[in-house]
Amino acid sequence: MNQNTQLPAHQPARQDVHAQLRQATKALIDTLAPPTGSPFALGVADVDAVLCAASNMQRAYPAMAVEIQHELGMERGFGFDMNVACSSATFGIQTAADYIRSGNARSVLVVNPEITSGHLNWRDRDSHFIFGDVATAILVEAKDLAPAEHWEILGTRLKTQYSNNIRNNFGFLNRAEGKG
């Protein structure tokens, strides 16, 4: 056993902050920063929830959204991760809007940190060029909290449909298939 981590000697110690978390936190900090010359500023104390919506998570648990809350210094609210493949960002915004409409939250940060380069099959010329590493973030808030010039969500409707056209066949369970 490694005395510092209480892990078996062959298992490396967990890094405190991984690449995807750094990427997400930076995007959210940028999102919360007021535009140049704007008197509007929202702090993390005003945020009710963090939704981390991504098609690829660096790990399954603990929830990145909860760890993002910690990194941002949030002392209240809730967070959770969601994975709806390519539609994760869209579902994240929809979910945030639903929390606002229902009155369960007034201000929700949605972050979409994608790191896809690590699992791409670079020899697959049909799809490798589509994917990249990026993080986007958006603040969805009640209309009375928003600055005078803001986008308003007038309505939404989600739909999913199966397609096998673009597929990620690399996952953490691949080694359990017994083929290698």
Side-chain angles (χ1 to χ4, degrees):
M1 294 290 272
N2 180 331
Q3 291 178 340
N4 294 330
T5 60
Q6 298 300 311
L7 296 173
H10 69 277
Q11 188 172 358
R14 180 178 100 73
Q15 294 178 352
D16 285 338
V17 179
H18 57 76
Q20 197 171 23
L21 178 65
R22 283 191 303 271
Q23 180 190 43
T25 304
K26 168 79 169 88
L28 289 171
I29 289 169
D30 290 349
T31 298
L32 288 173
T36 305
S38 170
F40 176 73
L42 182 76
V44 294
D46 302 311
V47 175
D48 297 316
V50 174
L51 306 184
C52 183
S55 61
N56 298 283
M57 300 289 185
Q58 190 163 343
R59 63 169 184 261
Y61 51 87
M64 263 199 332
V66 175
E67 195 167 358
I68 290 166
Q69 284 181 292
H70 173 76
E71 290 296 312
L72 292 174
M74 292 178 65
E75 295 181 4
R76 65 181 198 90
F78 62 93
F80 62 89
D81 298 346
M82 59 189 320
N83 177 326
V84 194
C86 295
S87 299
S88 292
T90 304
F91 274 73
I93 293 169
Q94 168 74 48
T95 302
D98 288 345
Y99 276 119
I100 302 293
R101 282 192 279 259
S102 70
N104 288 319
R106 298 192 28 82
S107 181
V108 180
L109 282 169
V110 180
V111 64
N112 177 241
E114 294 292 356
I115 297 181
T116 60
S117 58
H119 69 76
L120 288 180
N121 179 354
W122 294 101
R123 294 184 181 118
D124 180 0
R125 300 291 185 202
D126 290 334
S127 65
H128 81 278
F129 60 91
I130 297 172
F131 301 101
D133 300 340
V134 67
T136 60
I138 185 170
L139 174 65
V140 180
E141 57 190 346
K143 189 175 180 177
D144 63 310
L145 293 178
E149 293 184 25
H150 64 273
W151 294 91
E152 185 176 351
I153 298 174
L154 301 176
T156 57
R157 177 183 233 156
L158 295 174
K159 180 182 179 192
T160 56
Q161 182 176 338
Y162 175 77
S163 172
N164 199 26
N165 292 331
I166 298 175
R167 183 181 189 92
N168 173 358
N169 288 319
F170 293 100
F172 68 93
L173 291 177
N174 281 24
R175 66 183 178 185
E177 289 184 0
K179 295 179 183 175

